[in-house]
Amino acid sequence: MRDMTERAGGAKAFAPEYQGALGALSVNASLPEVLASGLREREAARAAGDAREAARCGLAVAEAYRRLGRTEEADRAWKDSFRVARAADQPAAMAWALWSGGTLARQRGAFRLAYRLLRLAAEWGERGDDVVVRGYSLAGLAETGRIQGDYAAVAVLHEQLLAEARRRGEARHTVWALEGIAQMHRNTGLYDKALALFEEAAETALRAEDRRGWAWALRGVADVVSVRDGDAGRALELLARAEEACREVGLTSALAYNHKMRGNVLYRAGRYPEARELYARALEEFEGMREPRGTALARLGLAKALARLGRDAAETAAELVEIRGLLERIGLRQARRMAAAAADELGVGPLPDASRTAGAVAGPSPAEELRSAGTEALR
């Protein structure tokens, strides 16, 4: 425990996306509070003719909208922040706006756009001599590749960013990197390593008073405890604690993923009616936020639960094909493997082996995008 604290620098988490008049806001400030303050301060800056301050306050507005799941408003807000920053010749503020836009694009499943915006954010961060936004942008590129499932392209970058976060004493990014590496270990079956890293992330976030990072880390611990140990009781307890933190801060997207994970835990425990209810709840939440990846994953869980409850095999197979197409269109490289594994598990496979679902779009190569962003030196 002492070693972990020393490596994290014992630092408290801070939110560099809250800037200017909003710089005193805590990383744990409730998102409705951040939104209200950001809108108020942005209007005051506009009235005063302070373009730089308007751009900085607009960034907080964009991020609050994004985390509340209000994606269309978030899209308008980050673009407005970027336009104001560009007109004021503020490269660092431009970089932060692009980072927000790239993060939103990833959340909406637009991976190609996410890579483009985050790459630009890293470039403008370097021009503006803002190492924090450049680091956040590179981390965003790494996370985008990880979500797509191309671990070979991003694993080393995750490790490099973790080392940099520890060196700079940035607890929040230390937690992010630990969780990302842990997730890759979990998805490749290295459960002991994954659990150790998720637990370290949770402890680091707790010491840094980072409720958001703590909630995500608890979700990871619960997942591994459920899949490795079959301990549904402990997993559900951890998820309940994480949900409380999500509600305190107002993390709409994280809460939906928490509900989907609770469905996973219940499904693994054979509690299919309860799992069905949680998957349906998460699906409604994701659809309300227009978050396609979460929507597809919740649909996959719901389809599996319904199959266990007696749904017709042909209907299940047809839905799995449809879900596979959705995941492919988003750009998830593991889509076919996930759909095939579900079909085998439920005894409805093999699924029709079409060359690609009609309209599917090949996702960008994370390795190529990372090279374009000039991350070779970090890797």
Side-chain angles (χ1 to χ4, degrees), residues 123-160:
E123 292 173 3
W124 280 105
E126 187 168 15
R127 292 184 196 181
D129 197 27
D130 189 325
V131 295
V132 178
V133 71
R134 175 167 170 76
Y136 269 54
S137 302
L138 294 178
L141 288 167
E143 185 168 356
T144 304
R146 176 175 58 77
I147 288 173
Q148 279 192 279
D150 195 340
Y151 301 156
V154 300
V156 174
L157 182 54
H158 270 77
E159 295 283 359
Q160 292 290 337

Side-chain angles (χ1 to χ4, degrees), residues 26-275:
S26 163
V27 68
N28 300 315
S30 74
L31 293 176
E33 173 192 343
V34 173
L35 180 58
S37 298
L39 289 169
R40 182 175 61 251
E41 295 296 342
R42 186 179 66 177
E43 289 309 307
R46 287 173 173 172
D50 189 341
R52 180 170 182 262
E53 182 68 5
R56 296 166 86 185
C57 293
L59 171 65
V61 170
E63 281 301 284
Y65 276 138
R66 181 183 69 79
R67 290 163 178 161
L68 287 167
R70 297 166 62 174
T71 54
E72 292 183 1
E73 291 157 300
D75 191 50
R76 289 194 294 270
W78 83 259
K79 289 175 180 175
D80 178 73
S81 177
F82 176 77
R83 283 192 294 267
V84 173
R86 181 176 58 186
D89 193 23
Q90 293 289 323
M94 290 168 61
W96 276 111
L98 289 164
W99 165 79
S100 181
T103 306
L104 175 65
R106 182 177 65 241
Q107 182 173 317
R108 301 175 84 174
F111 289 142
R112 193 175 297 280
L113 177 60
Y115 279 123
R116 182 156 57 91
L117 293 176
L118 290 167
R119 188 171 66 244
L120 287 170
E123 292 173 3
W124 280 105
E126 187 168 15
R127 292 184 196 181
D129 197 27
D130 189 325
V131 295
V132 178
V133 71
R134 175 167 170 76
Y136 269 54
S137 302
L138 294 178
L141 288 167
E143 185 168 356
T144 304
R146 176 175 58 77
I147 288 173
Q148 279 192 279
D150 195 340
Y151 301 156
V154 300
V156 174
L157 182 54
H158 270 77
E159 295 283 359
Q160 292 290 337
L161 290 168
L162 172 60
E164 177 67 11
R166 284 174 165 162
R167 185 183 69 80
R168 297 179 61 83
E170 293 178 356
R172 190 179 178 203
H173 249 213
T174 298
V175 170
W176 165 83
L178 286 168
E179 290 174 354
I181 297 166
Q183 192 64 52
M184 288 187 279
H185 285 321
R186 180 261 179 264
N187 290 346
T188 52
L190 300 175
Y191 299 128
D192 292 346
K193 287 185 177 181
L195 183 60
L197 290 173
F198 275 130
E199 288 179 337
E200 182 179 350
E203 291 281 357
T204 305
L206 192 61
R207 287 192 169 93
E209 299 177 5
D210 175 9
R211 299 286 284 172
R212 182 183 298 124
W214 183 70
W216 279 108
L218 285 188
R219 176 181 172 273
V221 173
D223 183 28
V224 178
V225 164
S226 167
V227 72
R228 186 193 71 171
D229 305 333
D231 192 343
R234 185 183 172 213
L236 292 171
E237 178 187 355
L238 290 167
L239 289 169
R241 293 167 62 193
E243 177 168 351
E244 182 180 351
C246 289
R247 292 191 182 281
E248 286 176 2
V249 183
L251 296 172
T252 305
S253 179
L255 187 59
Y257 276 104
N258 180 294
H259 292 156
K260 187 193 75 68
M261 182 57 69
R262 192 174 301 177
N264 291 353
V265 171
L266 292 166
Y267 178 87
R268 292 168 190 150
R271 296 161 60 175
Y272 302 126
E274 295 171 87

